[in-house]
């Protein structure tokens, strides 16, 4: 995973609101899944060698986010779409948790787990 992409994903996950002292109906599950996300990010950041340069990389053009994502997906890493889905799902779960909506929170966390398992 490129350092730039790793920084963006890490910032996105850590930019989420910090839970307050009052726990919602699914705060424990949110924390458990956030720990899983954090562990996956840490493992991805510390493993894997770089990929060889493609012929396009030798043409003195800057890579696009799409070309970087395509290269990384080919190496078995979490796709950009999956990462964004995880981020949105965690935001939805936290919002539902804040208002006490356990059903909506559970639904959002189920979607996050599906995205992580892809």
């Amino acid at each position: 995973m490129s350092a730039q992409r790793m920084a963006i994903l890490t910032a996105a996950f850590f930019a989420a609101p910090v839970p307050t002292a009052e726990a919602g109906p699914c705060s424990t599950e949110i924390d458990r899944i956030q720990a899983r996300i954090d562990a996956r990010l840490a493992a991805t950041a510390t493993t894997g060698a770089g990929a060889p340069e493609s012929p396009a990389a030798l043409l003195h053009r800057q890579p696009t986010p799409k070309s970087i994502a395509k290269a990384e997906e080919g190496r078995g890493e979490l796709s950009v779409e999956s990462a964004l889905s995880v981020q949105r799902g965690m935001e939805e779960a936290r919002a539902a948790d804040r208002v006490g909506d356990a059903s909506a929170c559970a639904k959002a966390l189920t979607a996050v787990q599906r995205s992580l398992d892809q």
Side-chain angles (χ1 to χ4, degrees), residues 20-104:
T20 60
E22 295 179 33
C26 61
S27 295
T28 302
E29 186 66 9
I30 289 172
D31 292 344
R32 186 186 70 74
I33 292 177
Q34 184 64 54
R36 182 176 170 203
I37 292 166
D38 295 345
R40 184 163 181 177
L41 287 172
T44 301
T46 59
T47 61
E53 286 183 323
S54 70
L58 302 174
L59 297 177
H60 304 291
R61 288 184 263 162
Q62 292 295 316
T64 64
K66 185 176 181 178
S67 69
I68 293 170
K70 183 178 178 185
E72 290 177 350
E73 285 174 11
R75 294 174 45 214
E77 296 177 5
L78 189 65
S79 71
V80 172
E81 292 80 15
S82 292
L84 292 173
S85 177
V86 167
Q87 180 185 358
R88 281 190 303 271
M90 290 301 286
E91 290 169 357
E92 290 172 12
R94 286 186 177 98
D97 192 52
R98 276 192 301 276
V99 298
D101 188 344
S103 176

